[in-house]
Amino acid sequence: AHRRAERLVEAAVQGVYAVAATAAFASGLIIYAFIAGDYSIADTAAVAWAGIAPMLGDPRLTDCGNVMAWIERNVARPATARAIALSPG
């Protein structure tokens, strides 16, 4: 069970990294508050993965200030905050 948990964590890290590390994504967040400029379904879909970056403490993500600020903007949205409150754990 422990080995499976380790694999799941690494898969999550890789998934988050794949979302957040693309040049267009990371550099776009320097200019825009959200992925498409305005909040959209793209942010909703991506934050599900990227939102776990702070919990994982992976420096590939936590060292990207613009990505971390984008995560904070997303989780501060009322609907996202309600969804997080409903999630287990």
Side-chain angles (χ1 to χ4, degrees):
H2 181 69
R3 178 83 173 121
R4 183 170 186 266
E6 287 177 348
R7 286 195 315 266
L8 289 173
V9 167
E10 183 54 30
V13 168
Q14 293 302 319
V16 172
Y17 185 66
V19 168
T22 45
F25 178 73
S27 64
L29 292 176
I30 293 171
I31 300 167
Y32 301 109
F34 297 102
I35 294 173
D38 293 325
Y39 183 77
S40 70
I41 191 68
D43 298 286
T44 304
V47 81
W49 280 103
I52 65 171
M55 289 187 302
L56 298 174
D58 190 309
R60 293 174 293 183
L61 300 167
T62 56
D63 288 352
C64 296
N66 55 334
V67 173
M68 297 308 293
W70 168 79
I71 291 169
E72 290 174 17
R73 284 191 297 276
N74 273 277
V75 299
R77 295 182 59 80
T80 306
R82 285 192 301 274
I84 291 168
L86 293 172
S87 65

